Structures are given as structure tokens and as C-alpha cells.
Amino acid sequence: MSNVVETVKQVVEPILENHSFYLFDVEFVKENKSWSLRVYIDKKGGITIDDCVLVSDELSEKLDAMDPDPIPQAYFLEVSSPGAERPLRNDEELKQATGEYIHVSLYQNLNGNKTFEGTLKSVDDDNLVLQNDKWGKQDTLEIPRNLIAKARLAIQF
């Protein structure tokens, strides 16, 4: 299955570059009796349905034209955004999220809590700094990176 994912990445990258999009992830998974090829794309300002249709059409055409067929079994192709609350998986994605509202889950308590939400003010090798006006006098919090289990974008209510 990793061969399929790597092949799809190689095929879709030039398509995305041509439209100033970037690849977030590719999955090739079997669910029940069906295979699904999921391609998650994004761009600055967010992906639209029309963007997904465009990439789906171009990718489908390229994959269908390949000989031998890189995906011999029947599958469903899904092209979509990684979502409004997508995970922040690495340093680059965390740094790109500076200024965004995020949710952070910790391995252990910090100030009596294991989860925090706020605007990401800064990121360095050792810490994240979040700001949230609802925290009162101390509206910023420095979170040691080694305590972070997961981080994701969040929708602010």
C-alpha cells in the first residue's frame, strides 16, 4: 500500500504546484470491502469544492493513463481539504499556524489542565506560547513542547 501512496504523491505534486496548492496527506485504505484513495490538499486561504474537483479530475486522468496501472484494484478517489480542525503534525505546520486559534492536548497537567485553546503567538524548539483573553490577568501561557501530545487547529466560539 505504501507503493500506491508514494506513486500518487509523485503524480499529484506537479498538479498541485501548477495550481499553487500543497499536499497535506495521501491515504489508501480498505474499509469494509471497498478501497479508498484519499488525497488531502490545501492552499493559503483554504480549499474550495471547485479546487477539489479540479484536482480530482486531473489526478484521475493521470492515474488512468499510467501503464501499468499503479492501482490495479477498484477504488474510490476522494480529494478534500484536511479540515478546519486539522492536526498540526510537525514544526513547519506549527509555525504556519502562528496567529491561528489552536487546541493543545498534553501528556500531563500544566497549571491543573491537560488541554488548552488559544491563539498561537509563537513557536520555538522548546515552547509554544498561547494567548487567550478568557484566562484573566495572565492571558498568555508558555507550554513546554515535550508536554504536548497533540496540537490541532480549532474553531473559536
Side-chain angles (χ1 to χ4, degrees), residues 17-131:
E17 287 174 17
N18 190 40
H19 298 290
S20 301
F21 303 157
Y22 66 87
L23 182 64
F24 184 80
D25 204 2
V26 175
E27 299 175 337
F28 187 59
V29 295
K30 187 172 186 178
E31 297 172 333
N32 298 320
K33 296 180 182 181
S34 300
W35 284 92
S36 293
L37 174 59
R38 295 189 182 113
V39 179
Y40 299 95
I41 62 174
D42 209 353
K43 70 176 180 188
K44 191 159 185 74
I47 286 292
T48 67
I49 291 173
D50 290 339
D51 296 334
C52 293
V53 169
L54 176 73
V55 171
S56 179
D57 290 347
E58 290 185 30
L59 177 58
S60 181
E61 185 178 310
K62 294 257 188 206
L63 291 172
D64 289 347
M66 293 178 74
D67 190 22
D69 190 342
I71 312 171
Q73 62 267 55
Y75 63 93
F76 296 100
L77 174 60
E78 302 172 18
V79 177
S80 68
S81 160
E85 292 193 336
R86 69 175 162 269
L88 300 170
R89 306 168 299 180
N90 54 45
D91 283 349
E92 182 180 336
E93 291 176 7
L94 278 168
K95 288 175 182 171
Q96 286 176 348
T98 301
E100 300 286 338
Y101 193 78
I102 69 169
H103 175 94
V104 178
S105 300
L106 306 180
Y107 291 115
Q108 64 188 44
N109 283 344
L110 177 67
N111 298 345
N113 293 303
K114 286 182 78 174
T115 61
F116 295 93
E117 286 192 1
T119 302
L120 181 59
K121 298 311 274 183
S122 66
V123 179
D124 64 32
D125 291 340
D126 300 317
N127 300 293
L128 298 183
V129 176
L130 291 184
Q131 180 178 12

